[in-house]
Amino acid sequence: MRNYIIADNQELTSFALQSLLQKDEENIVYRAFDKDGLVALLKEHENAVVMLDYTLLDLADEDQLLIIAERFSLSEWILISDDLTPQFIRRVVYSSHQFSVVFKDSPLSEIREAISAVNRHTRYLSQRALETIIIQQQEEDTPSILTTTEMEIVKAIALGKTTKEIAAERFSSIHTITTHRKNIFRKLGINTAHEAVKYALRAGLIDPSEFYI
């Protein structure tokens, strides 16, 4: 019997993962909808396998993720997201052997292999994750400068504006702003709006007095 915690706020993905895991009737599957819920479940099931979409849960940054993993050292993690930056993947993979990495567009066979490997207490890195770490390392380690437009969008994100609001303000389409957002996150090596806020504060794009916690 193995305990699994699905920490993914996309209902379709969570349903699919739960269905896949429950094909083995001995598996017990729990759902975590936020960081506090995840920690509470790990307190009860310290050796659980966590299937996490890092980009959708309310984790501030990879440091917070690594702290939780270290706190529950018997847990094992399968990171499964649409996209993760090379910097993030390298950081978590190099910091802890608890983490395996696959992507939501990975073949189902890779996701099954990841689950099987973790059940054998072996780390699994998908082909794409390996390529991201090895092939793209030099490119991603080279600092990239944001354009003026991208800097303005980072500031807007840090001030809590939605993609729709930013698009309306800039007389742009939501698709255009989404593309800018992806490029910004890639250049900065970040994955979440929380990390964009931290960058904007460090870079002086926003005054701390403008940002309310």
Side-chain angles (χ1 to χ4, degrees):
M1 183 186 74
R2 198 74 196 267
N3 293 318
Y4 291 86
I5 301 171
I6 298 175
D8 188 319
N9 290 327
Q10 286 182 339
E11 286 298 324
L12 184 59
T13 302
S14 296
F15 176 78
L17 290 174
Q18 187 167 347
S19 298
L20 182 63
L21 294 170
Q22 288 183 330
K23 285 187 176 180
D24 183 341
E25 295 181 357
E26 293 187 354
N27 290 335
I28 300 176
V29 182
Y30 303 91
R31 290 281 308 278
F33 298 94
D34 55 27
K35 179 193 66 180
D36 291 340
L38 174 59
V39 170
L41 284 169
L42 282 169
K43 286 179 179 178
E44 296 180 22
H45 312 286
E46 294 187 351
N47 65 342
V49 177
V50 181
M51 303 195 72
L52 168 71
D53 187 334
Y54 169 77
T55 64
L56 295 181
L57 214 67
D58 58 336
L59 292 164
D61 52 32
E62 62 262 34
D63 288 329
Q64 193 170 68
L65 172 62
L66 289 168
I67 288 169
I68 294 172
E70 183 179 4
R71 177 181 175 187
F72 300 100
S73 59
L74 297 179
S75 64
E76 295 175 273
W77 301 65
I78 299 176
L79 301 180
I80 177 167
S81 300
D82 286 319
D83 200 15
L84 293 169
T85 64
Q87 181 184 31
F88 172 85
I89 295 173
R90 289 197 299 270
R91 173 82 189 283
V92 297
V93 167
Y94 292 163
S95 297
S96 173
H97 286 282
Q98 291 170 261
F99 292 97
S100 297
V101 183
V102 292
F103 293 89
K104 288 186 176 178
D105 61 357
S106 297
L108 185 58
S109 59
E110 280 196 344
I111 296 173
R112 286 195 176 111
E113 286 173 16
I115 294 170
S116 177
V118 170
N119 281 333
R120 299 192 305 272
H121 306 291
T122 302
R123 177 158 71 184
Y124 181 87
L125 300 177
S126 69
Q127 183 64 31
R128 179 178 163 190
L130 287 170
E131 290 173 356
T132 299
I133 293 170
I134 299 170
I135 298 175
Q136 297 180 6
Q137 182 167 356
Q138 183 175 357
E139 176 185 345
E140 292 297 331
D141 283 345
T142 302
S144 299
I145 299 174
L146 298 184
T147 66
T148 300
T149 297
E150 289 170 341
M151 296 283 268
E152 292 171 353
I153 291 173
V154 167
K155 180 176 180 179
I157 292 171
L159 291 174
K161 295 180 181 179
T162 65
T163 300
K164 185 176 180 180
E165 288 171 337
I166 298 170
E169 288 181 358
R170 302 187 62 84
F171 303 101
S172 299
S173 69
I174 291 176
H175 174 74
T176 297
I177 301 303
T178 299
T179 300
H180 278 307
R181 182 186 174 105
K182 288 181 179 179
N183 289 336
I184 290 165
F185 281 24
R186 176 181 57 79
K187 286 183 178 182
L188 297 181
I190 62 177
N191 296 280
T192 68
H194 293 287
E195 293 168 320
V197 170
K198 290 171 67 175
Y199 170 82
L201 287 167
R202 288 197 305 268
L205 296 179
I206 57 174
D207 190 300
S209 63
E210 296 180 84
F211 183 68
Y212 300 93
I213 299 176

